[in-house]
Amino acid sequence: MPQTPALPPAHVSDIIQMALSDHVSFQDIRREYGIGEKDVKALMRDNLKPGSYRAWRKRVRDFGDRRETYK
């Protein structure tokens, strides 16, 4: 399992907000913070409640199936 890099709390908060947004892709997060999709998923898993994480992953998967450019 990927280990999330040490990030300042403000960056963690920003990344979570970006990941929860339906308009920001994993590539945008990588470009701004230098962490990849697996690291974002691990960060979200570590910082969200289990049910919230599962709901987020389901939404990302469902949108990804419908729209190729989504996350």
Side-chain angles (χ1 to χ4, degrees):
M1 179 177 303
Q3 191 166 3
T4 56
L7 295 167
H11 286 187
V12 171
S13 178
D14 290 344
I15 292 168
I16 290 171
Q17 289 297 326
M18 290 174 78
L20 289 172
S21 170
D22 291 341
H23 304 290
V24 179
S25 69
F26 287 122
Q27 290 79 20
D28 294 336
I29 295 171
R30 177 189 292 275
R31 203 173 307 121
E32 189 163 336
Y33 292 99
I35 65 171
E37 181 177 342
K38 289 182 180 183
D39 292 327
V40 172
K41 289 176 184 176
L43 184 125
M44 296 294 278
R45 187 180 306 111
D46 291 343
N47 288 282
L48 295 178
K49 293 179 183 178
S52 298
Y53 175 76
R54 283 191 301 272
W56 172 74
R57 285 296 298 136
K58 181 180 183 327
R59 194 173 82 239
V60 169
R61 271 193 311 274
D62 291 348
F63 258 95
D65 291 344
R66 288 185 279 165
R67 201 169 74 199
E68 190 173 313
T69 60
Y70 186 76
K71 296 200 181 186

